């Protein structure tokens, strides 16, 4: 699954937001009005890939997806994640609303430590990759 991280300027903002959430909840979570139809697939090793400033930068594994009733009695969903943010190969992503399914073959690979280029900002890394110079 891929989702925009609205309001975040960098991965640190996402991390800070989730740290604040975990003062009230045992794990990071996100409320959404739409309930995924592919819950079983998402819970079988799936992750949410966060788009920050137009670039997929990190992912988090799902631990649970709960169908709930919101404050207005409407059906909603809580997406629950592992606390660990895993850096991925930066991949440009155009804006969209809500979330989208991401096929495993289209998901960016996890970044491996020590590959070099760790000090390059993700948006620049994504542009270099898109221009096929990285």
């Amino acid at each position: 699954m891929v989702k925009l991280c609205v309001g975040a300027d960098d991965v640190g903002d996402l991390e800070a937001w989730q740290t604040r959430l975990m003062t009230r909840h045992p794990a990071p979570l996100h409320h959404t009005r739409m309930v995924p139809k592919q819950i079983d697939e998402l819970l079988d090793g799936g992750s949410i890939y966060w788009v920050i400033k137009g670039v997929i930068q990190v992912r988090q594994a799902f631990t649970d997806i709960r169908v709930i009733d919101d404050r207005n009695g409407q059906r909603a969903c809580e997406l629950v994640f592992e606390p660990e943010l895993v850096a991925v190969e930066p991949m440009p992503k155009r804006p969209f609303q809500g979330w989208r399914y991401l096929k495993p073959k289209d998901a960016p690979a996890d970044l491996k430590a020590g590959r070099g280029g760790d000090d390059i900002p993700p948006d620049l890394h994504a542009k270099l990759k898109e221009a096929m110079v990285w």
Side-chain angles (χ1 to χ4, degrees):
M1 177 182 287
V2 63
K3 173 127 183 55
L4 299 180
C5 190
V6 178
D9 288 326
D10 55 35
V11 175
D13 286 345
L14 173 60
E15 189 171 34
W17 168 63
Q18 291 188 348
T19 299
R20 284 191 304 275
L21 268 176
M22 288 190 297
T23 62
R24 298 182 316 248
H25 302 281
L29 57 89
H30 180 74
H31 289 268
T32 180
R33 288 182 301 146
M34 302 303 292
V35 177
K37 291 181 173 64
Q38 299 177 15
I39 290 176
D40 292 338
E41 292 89 338
L42 292 171
L43 291 175
D44 186 21
S47 292
I48 189 162
Y49 288 79
W50 291 106
V51 178
I52 301 171
K53 292 294 187 185
V55 178
I56 298 174
Q57 297 186 32
V58 294
R59 71 173 181 84
Q60 285 180 286
F62 285 103
T63 60
D64 199 6
I65 298 175
R66 303 178 194 135
V67 178
I68 61 168
D69 291 330
D70 69 12
R71 288 177 273 181
N72 300 320
Q74 300 293 316
R75 186 172 170 208
C77 184
E78 281 184 343
L79 306 172
V80 186
F81 317 112
E82 289 286 341
E84 180 185 13
L85 294 170
V86 179
V88 298
E89 289 283 341
M91 178 186 290
K93 188 74 175 167
R94 288 200 167 102
F96 58 93
Q97 289 187 340
W99 47 263
R100 301 285 184 266
Y101 290 112
L102 184 63
K103 293 178 182 162
K105 68 178 183 65
D106 297 331
D110 291 354
L111 278 180
K112 296 180 178 46
R115 284 194 40 212
D118 295 340
D119 54 344
I120 296 175
D123 57 338
L124 176 58
H125 187 194
K127 287 176 185 170
L128 290 170
K129 205 170 155 189
E130 188 175 33
M132 292 190 248
V133 294
W134 187 266

